[in-house]
Amino acid sequence: VGLFFPPQVFKTLLVQLNVLRTVCVEPERAGLYMKTGEETLSFSSEKLAPLVNGTPIVSTRFPSQADDRGGLKLFRFSDAPVSLLAADVRAHRNSRSLQTVYLDEAWQYEKGAMQEIFARTDSFGWRSRKVIASTGSDVDDETDTLWQTGERWEWHGACPSCNAIVPIEVGDHENPGGLKWPSDERTREPDGRWRI
């Protein structure tokens, strides 16, 4: 699964929420990759650890002994260990098996790193998952190649006035936040109200 979002939206939060949902609903061995070990520690201490510790249903999944819970690079949940790993460390790309791997900004990884990380899921066969969360890619890098050769879906919504299927668009630097709909004589009354 590829998740491509503009910078500073909610890409990383979406990944964190998926990891924590999995810990509670369908426990598995998972690895969350950042480009470097420094990025991994920063992400863990600033984002993931506070979210884990602040979510009672998730934090109750830890073993009762504090020493058995891991640290900032390994969350040892009772039946779903989550490792935070660095893509630039060969040992992190080639060690134990994982059922799901989450790759953050994989377009920054060195050539071949993604395939080595993906190989860690081979022993789980069809039950394995690979999730790439990114703000984009460079032309002809591994993430771009996966995007161009893979199946792609575009989510649409129904127009509130005519029920026509339209692409979902969100705010940008000129119109922050919210969904954007076409605004013209087909969708608006002369006084500016939405047509119903």
Side-chain angles (χ1 to χ4, degrees):
V1 175
L3 305 169
F4 293 91
F5 290 94
Q8 303 305 319
V9 180
F10 48 77
K11 159 189 71 69
T12 307
L13 177 60
L14 191 62
V15 167
Q16 291 175 84
L17 293 175
N18 186 269
V19 168
L20 299 187
R21 178 214 168 265
T22 302
V23 164
C24 294
V25 177
E26 49 184 340
E28 64 184 16
R29 295 177 76 89
L32 201 155
Y33 283 85
M34 303 280 167
K35 182 180 179 189
T36 67
E38 184 177 300
E39 289 175 17
T40 299
L41 280 175
S42 174
F43 167 77
S44 182
S45 63
E46 294 173 17
K47 295 182 178 180
L48 187 59
L51 184 61
V52 166
N53 294 323
T55 311
I57 195 157
V58 176
S59 59
T60 60
R61 307 289 298 186
F62 275 127
S64 57
Q65 298 296 318
D67 291 345
D68 296 336
R69 296 178 184 171
L72 289 176
K73 288 190 173 184
L74 174 62
F75 292 84
R76 287 190 188 113
F77 296 105
S78 302
D79 48 3
V82 177
S83 301
L84 276 74
L85 304 157
D88 67 348
V89 176
R90 182 173 293 269
H92 288 193
R93 299 190 313 253
N94 295 308
S95 55
R96 68 178 180 266
S97 296
L98 297 167
Q99 185 169 349
T100 298
V101 291
Y102 298 90
L103 283 67
D104 187 63
E105 302 296 359
W107 62 276
Q108 298 176 341
Y109 300 178
E110 66 185 61
K111 187 172 177 62
M114 284 179 52
Q115 293 309 315
E116 288 180 357
I117 294 167
F118 288 169
R120 294 186 65 182
T121 67
D122 288 350
S123 61
F124 288 94
W126 64 271
R127 295 178 304 137
S128 68
R129 289 187 295 178
K130 301 154 187 92
V131 179
I132 303 169
S134 183
T135 54
S137 60
D138 290 329
V139 175
D140 294 330
D141 74 6
E142 288 176 281
T143 54
D144 182 56
T145 301
L146 284 172
W147 175 254
Q148 296 301 330
T149 59
E151 284 187 49
R152 292 176 278 179
W153 296 285
E154 187 174 305
W155 284 301
H156 295 271
C159 172
S161 62
C162 66
N163 287 330
I165 301 299
V166 294
I168 295 175
E169 295 182 36
V170 294
D172 55 27
H173 67 284
E174 293 176 8
N175 301 299
L179 294 176
K180 295 179 0 183
W181 301 96
S183 181
D184 55 30
E185 65 280 351
R186 295 175 303 130
T187 59
R188 299 265 190 174
E189 298 289 349
D191 65 0
R193 290 180 297 121
W194 287 104
R195 292 184 187 269
I196 299 177

